[in-house]
């Protein structure tokens, strides 16, 4: 029995530093489909892992490794909302290695500030049009390292559109391959 506890504690203390997946917590089926299509059309197309609520994400985060390349976290979900999930993940000593991007239609300034204070690197507005999901996918696929480098809680405390962030990052890191191009938005 002691061996089992030692193995369990070793698993939690030795997490590989590999970022091959993007984890997405989103309860809306339509939004999940739009995201799947957008990510499928990006180059390279990452492995996506979807969660229906924050509780599923937190459980998976604490029990599985390697860590994801990036977390895309909806704010309003059943069982556990995005802020609570972000707080639970933030308690993990390895959470700083994974950039968290909040993805929400909520733009309440207090909620946005709370998300940044809780460790979100970026707060994105959910796109109002299908084309906007391609920008979200491009941002997550090509700019995860740039997002990881952003200081927590120091950004202008606002909700951004993915296209705005892509433009800002492309100017900040010109011609270094940070922002790539997605394949044509084929939604079939």
């Amino acid at each position: 029995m002691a061996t089992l506890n030692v193995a369990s504690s070793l698993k939690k203390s030795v997490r590989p530093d590999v970022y091959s997946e993007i984890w997405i917590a989103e309860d809306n089926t339509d939004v999940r489909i739009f995201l799947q299509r957008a990510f499928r059309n990006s180059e390279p197309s990452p492995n996506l892992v979807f969660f229906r609520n924050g509780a599923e994400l937190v459980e998976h985060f604490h029990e599985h490794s390697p860590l994801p390349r990036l977390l895309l976290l909806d704010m309003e979900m059943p069982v556990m909302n995005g802020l609570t999930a972000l707080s639970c993940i933030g308690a993990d000593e390895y959470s700083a290695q994974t950039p968290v991007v909040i993805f929400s239609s909520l733009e309440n300034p207090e909620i946005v500030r709370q998300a940044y204070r809780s460790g979100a690197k970026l707060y994105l507005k959910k796109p109002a049009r299908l084309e906007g999901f391609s920008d979200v996918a491009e941002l997550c696929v090509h700019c995860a390292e740039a997002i990881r480098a952003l200081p927590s809680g120091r950004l202008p405390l606002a909700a951004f559109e993915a296209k705005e962030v892509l433009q800002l990052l492309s100017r900040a890191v010109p011609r270094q391959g940070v922002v790539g191009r997605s394949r044509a938005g084929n939604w079939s």
Side-chain angles (χ1 to χ4, degrees):
M1 195 102 138
T3 309
L4 205 58
N5 290 338
V6 170
S8 174
S9 66
L10 280 176
K11 179 183 173 193
K12 289 188 189 298
S13 65
V14 182
R15 289 183 81 163
D17 192 24
V18 177
Y19 305 98
S20 64
E21 297 175 330
I22 293 178
W23 294 357
I24 301 171
E26 171 62 60
D27 63 312
N28 184 303
T29 305
D30 291 335
V31 172
R32 291 165 67 142
I33 290 169
F34 298 152
L35 286 169
Q36 246 176 340
R37 289 177 180 168
F39 277 100
R40 189 179 330 126
N41 289 323
S42 66
E43 284 290 336
S45 181
N47 293 326
L48 302 177
V49 179
F50 284 91
F51 304 92
R52 291 177 301 219
N53 60 61
E56 286 180 6
L57 171 74
V58 169
E59 181 180 335
H60 192 81
F61 187 87
H62 291 299
E63 293 180 358
H64 293 85
S65 54
L67 294 170
R69 175 180 178 79
L70 182 132
L71 290 176
L72 188 59
L73 183 58
D74 183 20
M75 186 58 72
E76 294 182 289
M77 295 180 286
V79 182
M80 181 185 288
N81 69 30
L83 275 179
T84 305
L86 182 57
S87 295
C88 291
I89 290 168
D92 187 296
E93 64 184 293
Y94 300 101
S95 65
Q97 298 173 28
T98 303
V100 176
V101 176
I102 298 294
F103 182 64
S104 182
S105 54
L106 286 178
E107 293 184 50
N108 177 316
E110 184 51 39
I111 292 174
V112 173
R113 276 192 291 277
Q114 208 172 350
Y116 282 118
R117 275 184 265 160
S118 296
K121 294 290 188 161
L122 197 54
Y123 194 108
L124 292 181
K125 298 176 190 177
K126 279 191 182 172
R129 300 177 55 153
L130 286 176
E131 298 81 28
F133 287 92
S134 294
D135 293 330
V136 172
E138 185 174 339
L139 180 64
C140 292
V141 169
H142 296 286
C143 301
E145 294 305 316
I147 293 169
R148 180 187 330 281
L150 293 172
S152 294
R154 289 188 172 165
L155 291 174
L157 300 175
F160 294 95
E161 290 187 24
K163 189 176 237 31
E164 291 176 298
V165 178
L166 284 167
Q167 290 169 349
L168 289 170
L169 290 176
S170 68
R171 280 182 275 186
V173 188
R175 306 280 182 217
Q176 291 185 7
V178 171
V179 178
R181 297 214 181 265
S182 297
R183 284 185 278 187
N186 180 5
W187 290 91
S188 56

